[in-house]
Amino acid sequence: GQQLNQSPQSMFIQEGEDVSMNCTSSSIFNTWLWYKQDPGEGPVLLIALYKAGELTSNGRLTAQFGITRKDSFLNISASIPSDVGIYFCAGLTQGGSEKLVFGKGMKLTVNP
Amino acid sequence: GAVVSQHPSWVICKSGTSVKIECRSLDFQATTMFWYRQFPKQSLMLMATSNEGSKATYEQGVEKDKFLINHASLTLSTLTVTSAHPEDSSFYICSAKHQETQYFGPGTRLLVL
């Protein structure tokens, strides 16, 4: 089935560093969503993007909806230990489908 | 806002028994809810789309008689794993659609002995 290409698959950073991750697709998406999942928990919505070119911030997080509608990135600035987790991108395609298409996730490790 | 709960958070059952998992939208109404299954170190796999007042739509390869879904109200969807077997052991997560976004529940860990 359709899937988003999420990269990198994992990152190991020091506390205080910034981190960037992105998702790309060959298909056009109407909505891009970024989620964080902690072990044994459900994904928690971080940022939702609805317009091409939209740049949205949520605290230390910033995400952008690519102008081509085929990509999105998420930046985390000044990382802290509680940023550890798995970050998923997800998108809703054109055509009215309600099903989310997910990336494979990026595992973030932050060393104190 | 947009909080989704699941109950139970974990369950252990004997092989052959049925288990019901509830998904509730606490502060909004959801005509559409989704049920996912997640294997270790993998992304979420959509099992079915639950629509209030109508039959659920199942993804290819998901047995509808095995995984019964009922969406009887705008705030509650249930997933019943019938005649559970050890291979059904997994992490089950629901989500509810709200304003073009999906909000996820905390998940239910099922262990079938």
Side-chain angles (χ1 to χ4, degrees):
Chain A
Q2 194 173 24
Q3 195 162 43
L4 298 176
N5 299 310
Q6 185 172 354
S7 64
Q9 294 183 358
S10 63
M11 286 196 73
F12 296 82
I13 61 174
Q14 294 296 126
E15 182 177 0
E17 291 183 342
D18 300 343
V19 61
S20 183
M21 63 195 84
N22 66 66
C23 276
T24 61
S25 172
S26 58
S27 303
I28 291 175
F29 284 79
N30 286 338
T31 301
W32 284 92
L33 306 169
W34 286 93
Y35 294 91
K36 176 176 183 271
Q37 186 176 26
D38 292 328
E41 299 288 334
V44 174
L45 181 67
L46 299 175
I47 292 181
L49 302 160
Y50 302 107
K51 295 180 182 178
E54 179 181 357
L55 181 71
T56 298
S57 293
N58 178 9
R60 294 179 295 106
L61 278 61
T62 302
Q64 184 160 32
F65 191 147
I67 197 71
T68 65
R69 294 178 171 261
K70 296 181 179 181
D71 63 302
S72 176
F73 71 75
L74 174 70
N75 287 339
I76 305 173
S77 62
S79 60
I80 58 178
S82 62
D83 289 335
V84 166
I86 299 179
Y87 292 79
F88 289 100
C89 62
L92 283 170
T93 60
Q94 289 182 321
S97 173
E98 298 178 302
K99 302 180 198 178
L100 283 180
V101 179
F102 282 91
K104 291 188 176 183
M106 191 211 78
K107 183 177 180 180
L108 178 64
T109 302
V110 179
N111 296 315
Chain B
V3 179
V4 178
S5 69
Q6 272 183 251
H7 178 81
S9 56
W10 60 270
V11 56
I12 302 173
C13 70
K14 292 183 178 180
S15 186
T17 61
S18 294
V19 174
K20 180 185 284 188
I21 303 171
E22 293 184 349
C23 178
R24 293 182 185 271
S25 55
L26 298 185
D27 51 0
F28 64 99
Q29 293 182 331
T31 56
T32 306
M33 292 184 174
F34 303 86
W35 287 96
Y36 295 84
R37 186 171 178 177
Q38 188 176 33
F39 294 100
K41 299 185 179 181
Q42 293 191 23
S43 188
L44 285 76
M45 182 187 77
L46 179 65
M47 298 174 65
T49 302
S50 171
N51 300 295
E52 188 270 336
S54 64
K55 292 182 179 180
T57 303
Y58 290 81
E59 294 300 298
Q60 191 172 11
V62 179
E63 299 177 56
K64 58 181 66 177
D65 295 330
K66 172 75 173 177
F67 299 100
L68 300 178
I69 291 173
N70 184 275
H71 194 156
S73 78
L74 288 172
T75 59
L76 173 64
S77 175
T78 60
L79 169 69
T80 301
V81 183
T82 62
S83 187
H85 288 94
E87 56 266 31
D88 298 324
S89 299
S90 193
F91 192 51
Y92 293 87
I93 311 174
C94 72
S95 72
K97 181 182 174 183
H98 180 58
Q99 296 179 351
E100 304 308 313
T101 301
Q102 283 189 30
Y103 295 87
F104 287 86
T108 297
R109 175 75 59 190
L110 171 63
L111 177 60
V112 184
L113 302 176

